[in-house]
Amino acid sequence: MQKTSLFQSFNFMQSANNDKLSSDHNLEAMWHFSQTYAKRTGTYFCAEPSVTAVVIEGLAKHKDDLGSPLCPCRHYEDKKAEVHATFWNCPCVPMRERKECHCMLFLTPDNEFAGEKQEITLEEIKAVRESMG
Ligand code: SF4
């Protein structure tokens, strides 16, 4: 993935979430999920932690609004229908089958954007989240 598309996705998610931020309850749930899943799959968070934070916030917001953590990096005509179809509920099918996370939440070690961490603090996520509100 090119650097430009990484930051385009990042900007898209920021603007998509500006109306209302996630609840603390689902933010913490998706924070726990992300760390556990990264460790289980041997994947790493992005070297730029704000990318990780924005994706976790997006997942939590979808869990608030739709009841499921629909992937936050895609455009949907009908979000409820997508939740029902399950393909893009996180962890999505491309991630489960091939470790492909186009949101750059879960990166394989050979990815040029991968950092060395499978953990992020809730404070880091909340700081980014507040800057989005
Ligand atoms: S691309 Fe898949 S694994 Fe990555 S955040 Fe979206 S749904 Fe989750």
Side-chain angles (χ1 to χ4, degrees), residues 48-59:
E48 172 48 65
S50 60
V51 171
T52 309
V54 168
V55 179
I56 292 173
E57 162 63 18
L59 289 169

Side-chain angles (χ1 to χ4, degrees), residues 10-128:
F10 179 65
N11 289 336
F12 164 74
M13 285 186 281
Q14 276 194 315
S15 60
N17 281 284
N18 269 348
D19 52 340
K20 185 172 161 287
L21 299 175
S22 68
S23 64
D24 281 351
H25 175 76
N26 279 330
L27 189 71
E28 287 184 30
M30 297 321 299
W31 170 56
H32 281 297
F33 156 76
S34 299
Q35 295 185 131
T36 303
Y37 193 75
K39 288 171 191 168
R40 179 144 66 84
T41 55
T43 54
Y44 292 83
F45 292 153
C46 186
E48 172 48 65
S50 60
V51 171
T52 309
V54 168
V55 179
I56 292 173
E57 162 63 18
L59 289 169
K61 179 73 166 64
H62 273 167
K63 197 156 166 52
D64 280 354
D65 294 349
L66 305 164
S68 285
L70 188 66
C71 185
C73 321
R74 301 184 64 81
H75 173 74
Y76 307 100
E77 293 300 329
D78 183 340
K79 288 187 178 182
K80 286 185 179 164
E82 293 288 350
V83 166
H84 188 67
T86 73
F87 190 95
W88 290 113
N89 289 343
C90 191
C92 60
V93 171
M95 181 64 206
R96 281 185 271 140
E97 291 188 347
R98 300 183 298 278
K99 293 191 183 179
E100 287 177 12
C101 172
H102 64 271
C103 288
M104 306 191 70
L105 178 57
F106 304 115
L107 298 170
T108 52
D110 60 335
N111 187 298
E112 64 177 309
F113 296 107
E116 296 178 343
K117 293 185 179 169
Q118 294 168 314
E119 293 183 346
I120 184 168
T121 66
L122 195 54
E123 287 68 33
E124 279 179 280
I125 301 174
K126 285 188 174 177
V128 172

